[in-house]
Amino acid sequence: MRQFSLFFILLFILSLLSSCNEDNRIEVDIQPQPVIELDSETGIYAVKVGRELTIAPTVQYADDALFSWTIDNKLVGTSASYTSSWDEPGEVYITFRVQTDAGKAEELIKVEVAELGVPVISLAIPASGLKVLAATDYILTPDIQNSDLEDFTCTWIREGKTVSTEESYTFNEAETGMYIVTIEASNIDGTARRDIEVEVVEQLPYVVTFGSLSYFEAYTDRYTFTGRPVYLYPLLEYFQDPLFEWEIDGEMTGTTERMFRFTPSVPGKYTIAVSVTEKTSTTARLTRNVTRSVSKVRAEIDVYGVEDSEEQRYQAATGSSSALWNKVYEYTPAPGQFIGELKTGGFTGSETTQADAIAYAEKRLEQENWVSLGGFGGYIVVGFDHSIPRTDNDYDFAIQANAFEGSSEPGIVWVMQDANGDGLPNDEWYELRGSETGSSGTIQEYEVTYYRPAGKGMNVPWTDSQGKSGHIDYLSAWHQQDFYYPAWVKEDVYTLRGTRLESRNIQDPQTGHWANQTYAWGYADNLGEDSLSGDAVDGSGQRNGFRISNAMHRDGTPADLKYIDFIKVQTGINAKSGWLGELSTEVCSFIDLSIKNK
């Protein structure tokens, strides 16, 4: 038995020796742990809603491996690859794990699910509908979002037939009536379709109105102190070459200018009317000449000479009066990158009425935080708990804003007296003279009409009274709110009017940096010579001083106001600085400098 056991022991030793290499080392075959190589360098995958995504990593040393894919700790797959689709945009995090006897490997994968980029068609259509003269070219040029995606096509259709495959279409129809023009825009993600109603007319529907003093309130009647003039300027639609005739209480005045100056000699109500006629024109239409003439279009407005004197309407400050503004009466900005902005702009997304907008503006001003007025014409109206008196040798009030060197965005300043004594800003606005008043680049009675964009993230189109057009650019790199169009403006089209200054923004050709240069004096949010303190950068609070003595009538003559009750600031530039976006006046506070408690 012992000899037999010894034999097996010797045999075992020999087998061990035979397994050694020539260096007397024992070799053991050990499998490495698995290694995952993703088919995305960043570990981030992009897919659109409803589209399938397959993630297929390469795994080394995966013999007899177990695979698992989990989302929120729930098992969703056990193969070496994973395919899925998602119904909503957002971010999805997936954990991929590989397990073998030798160990495991794991990767966290991010999937970004984006909305489909279906085309969105936006077209600036007047509030009264699109009306075109018979036998006249009218170019339809829509703004189409996602036209840069793969397989984009554009098709215009009339009466079931394709009439153009360009992105714009020239409409011309000889016979009057209503026509439907359809545009179809397609790309890899889908198709959008829009029907456009075009009314062909023999004569355009000329309109004459007297604009309201407020966009949201129907302040149309005019009030002035007896002996002080008002200036009436009718608003026109469709007129190209108008003739004017003015009358007072039914009596013709002989005045033929568009601007009409009227001064009530005694207190009471006066009815002022203007009749406007388009000069007769002859236009070739097909094979015959058609003479188009316009009968007179008439508009009336009531002007009241106030019985009380200017001195009697004055509301003196008391011991409890504050130097600061005490009420925002209206906040009507133009579209802009900070309108509706939820972060630095301070909006909540629930501002859907003018009351909401006013509450927002009041909260910001109480904190001396900036309120953006958006692009050209956007404005804010504030009042005080007393009248601000005029001083002939000093600034009477100040407007705090956020200008600094290289960033002046001038706001036109207007003032008003409560002539009718009802406590509302529904009397005459007087522009304060500034350094650019009367210069060749300054346009009085300038108008810009803004059009609601058709989809989220789209530019806001505008047209102006000079026949020009453009956009308030959507800047997705800086602000991601859905729309730059004010949510509390329910109309799809609105027009803002005022004085436009010539822009002075420039770009450095070397650095690409934009600078919004300063104007000499007379404007809010402008680092001019009337700045009373530092700038928005050094923390001192940038302020401009203003004199009531600079108030002027609409013809530029001095208004000679002894005090004011309301202040309006309005963005005075229609320009944009490249990637910085539109120029927009900001205001932070309003201060009566005759009271020293602020």
Side-chain angles (χ1 to χ4, degrees):
M1 290 293 294
R2 287 178 184 166
Q3 291 177 349
F4 184 77
S5 298
L6 183 61
F7 170 79
F8 280 102
I9 292 172
L10 291 172
L11 182 62
F12 176 72
I13 293 172
L14 288 172
S15 67
L16 288 177
L17 291 174
S18 66
S19 67
C20 296
N21 60 19
E22 58 184 347
D23 296 324
N24 297 322
R25 290 179 300 178
I26 299 175
E27 293 182 349
V28 180
D29 186 13
I30 300 176
Q31 180 178 334
Q33 292 187 0
V35 176
I36 299 173
E37 294 180 4
L38 296 176
D39 50 343
S40 166
E41 294 182 359
T42 62
I44 300 175
Y45 295 78
V47 68
K48 292 183 178 179
V49 168
R51 300 279 176 79
E52 279 195 349
L53 170 69
T54 296
I55 305 173
T58 299
V59 183
Q60 298 180 13
Y61 314 115
D63 293 343
D64 300 320
L66 297 175
F67 303 99
S68 67
W69 299 81
T70 58
I71 299 176
D72 295 331
N73 296 319
K74 294 181 181 179
L75 183 67
V76 295
T78 57
S79 302
S81 63
Y82 177 66
T83 300
S84 185
S85 63
W86 291 267
D87 296 329
E88 295 182 357
E91 295 178 348
V92 180
Y93 290 90
I94 306 173
T95 301
F96 175 51
R97 182 181 293 114
V98 181
Q99 180 77 53
T100 67
D101 291 340
K104 69 176 181 179
E106 188 174 281
E107 288 285 348
L108 181 63
I109 298 168
K110 178 181 178 181
V111 178
E112 296 178 344
V113 185
E115 293 272 15
L116 288 173
V118 177
V120 180
I121 303 168
S122 182
L123 186 65
I125 300 292
S128 59
L130 182 56
K131 297 174 175 59
V132 178
L133 281 174
T136 303
D137 283 351
Y138 188 91
I139 302 176
L140 296 166
T141 306
D143 180 16
I144 306 177
Q145 190 179 39
N146 299 319
S147 61
D148 57 340
L149 295 186
E150 186 179 351
D151 297 334
F152 175 76
T153 61
C154 185
T155 305
W156 295 86
I157 303 168
R158 283 189 61 186
E159 299 176 359
K161 297 180 180 180
T162 298
V163 292
S164 176
T165 56
E166 302 295 326
E167 289 191 40
S168 62
Y169 169 61
T170 301
F171 177 91
N172 190 308
E173 178 59 50
E175 300 302 323
T176 60
M178 189 69 73
Y179 295 84
I180 302 296
V181 179
T182 300
I183 177 175
E184 286 187 354
S186 300
N187 62 21
I188 190 173
D189 284 348
T191 299
R193 177 186 177 101
R194 178 170 177 176
D195 291 334
I196 304 165
E197 290 189 348
V198 183
E199 184 179 0
V200 178
V201 296
E202 191 67 62
Q203 178 177 291
L204 292 172
Y206 298 95
V207 178
V208 180
T209 58
F210 289 99
S212 174
L213 294 169
S214 162
Y215 180 76
F216 282 93
E217 300 290 343
Y219 299 148
T220 52
D221 293 343
R222 307 291 282 273
Y223 296 85
T224 186
F225 293 110
T226 302
R228 178 181 292 169
V230 295
Y231 289 78
L232 303 176
Y233 187 84
L235 305 178
L236 310 178
E237 293 183 42
Y238 297 110
F239 284 93
Q240 298 295 321
D241 195 7
L243 297 172
F244 301 91
E245 296 177 292
W246 291 88
E247 59 186 80
I248 303 173
D249 291 334
E251 297 291 331
M252 301 304 296
T253 66
T255 303
T256 58
E257 301 296 324
R258 184 172 181 175
M259 182 83 75
F260 182 63
R261 170 180 169 139
F262 171 68
T263 305
S265 56
V266 296
K269 173 184 173 182
Y270 301 81
T271 299
I272 312 298
V274 63
S275 295
V276 186
T277 307
E278 179 78 355
K279 290 181 180 178
T280 301
S281 61
T282 301
T283 304
R285 182 161 82 87
L286 298 181
T287 60
R288 64 187 186 276
N289 286 337
V290 177
T291 301
R292 297 187 176 108
S293 61
V294 183
S295 59
K296 292 181 180 179
V297 181
R298 192 170 185 273
E300 291 184 353
I301 188 170
D302 290 331
V303 177
Y304 293 84
V306 176
E307 187 170 356
D308 286 344
S309 67
E310 182 179 10
E311 290 77 11
Q312 288 173 308
R313 292 293 194 207
Y314 177 71
Q315 301 179 70
T318 67
S320 61
S321 294
S322 171
L324 294 179
W325 64 278
N326 77 328
K327 182 177 177 59
V328 174
Y329 287 87
E330 186 176 354
Y331 173 46
T332 305
Q337 60 186 295
F338 290 105
I339 306 306
E341 212 268 351
L342 302 177
K343 297 179 181 178
T344 55
F347 285 89
T348 65
S350 62
E351 294 84 3
T352 58
T353 68
Q354 173 67 181
D356 295 336
I358 287 173
Y360 159 82
E362 288 186 335
K363 181 179 179 180
R364 296 278 290 186
L365 293 181
E366 286 168 358
Q367 301 167 346
E368 295 188 7
N369 208 340
W370 53 265
V371 174
S372 176
L373 305 183
F376 172 82
Y379 66 91
I380 190 170
V381 177
V382 304
F384 292 75
D385 61 10
H386 61 281
S387 300
I388 300 176
R390 182 185 77 194
T391 58
D392 293 329
N393 298 315
D394 206 350
Y395 294 119
D396 302 309
F397 64 91
I399 300 174
Q400 184 172 327
N402 64 354
F404 55 90
E405 187 65 38
S407 182
S408 288
E409 300 173 288
I412 306 294
V413 180
W414 305 75
V415 295
M416 178 187 286
Q417 294 178 324
D418 187 12
N420 63 12
D422 66 356
L424 297 173
N426 56 2
D427 298 279
E428 288 298 290
W429 282 115
Y430 300 93
E431 183 180 347
L432 293 192
R433 182 179 298 277
S435 58
E436 308 312 301
T437 300
S439 71
S440 59
T442 299
I443 302 175
Q444 308 290 139
E445 314 299 343
Y446 179 71
E447 300 179 8
V448 174
T449 299
Y450 298 98
Y451 303 85
R452 188 190 304 276
K456 297 178 181 179
M458 295 189 73
N459 299 333
V460 179
W462 59 260
T463 56
D464 72 2
S465 53
Q466 305 291 303
K468 297 180 180 179
S469 61
H471 298 90
I472 299 291
D473 293 339
Y474 186 86
L475 305 175
S476 59
W478 308 109
H479 312 287
Q480 290 83 40
Q481 69 267 39
D482 290 343
F483 299 97
Y484 290 176
Y485 195 94
W488 56 98
V489 175
K490 301 307 180 185
E491 296 81 2
D492 291 335
V493 180
Y494 74 117
T495 300
L496 298 174
R497 304 174 176 89
T499 297
R500 196 210 73 178
L501 307 180
E502 188 173 27
S503 59
R504 291 183 179 173
N505 53 326
I506 59 172
Q507 185 179 29
D508 188 311
Q510 302 299 321
T511 66
H513 176 73
W514 284 88
N516 302 328
Q517 295 181 309
T518 297
Y519 297 73
W521 60 272
Y523 308 103
D525 198 13
N526 173 60
L527 204 65
E529 59 193 52
D530 51 10
S531 289
L532 303 181
S533 55
D535 59 31
V537 176
D538 68 10
S540 62
Q542 184 267 331
R543 300 179 181 183
N544 296 94
F546 298 91
R547 293 184 171 92
I548 295 173
S549 59
N550 282 326
M552 59 182 179
H553 293 296
R554 293 175 81 163
D555 65 353
T557 58
D560 193 28
L561 306 181
K562 295 181 174 60
Y563 62 89
I564 62 167
D565 296 295
F566 307 102
I567 300 171
K568 175 170 71 173
V569 178
Q570 189 170 37
T571 299
I573 295 288
N574 188 12
K576 54 189 177 185
S577 292
W579 51 271
L580 287 176
E582 83 287 344
L583 273 68
S584 55
T585 301
E586 278 83 47
V587 294
C588 302
S589 189
F590 299 80
I591 308 102
D592 175 4
L593 297 178
S594 71
I595 296 179
K596 306 302 181 184
N597 59 11
K598 173 59 179 178

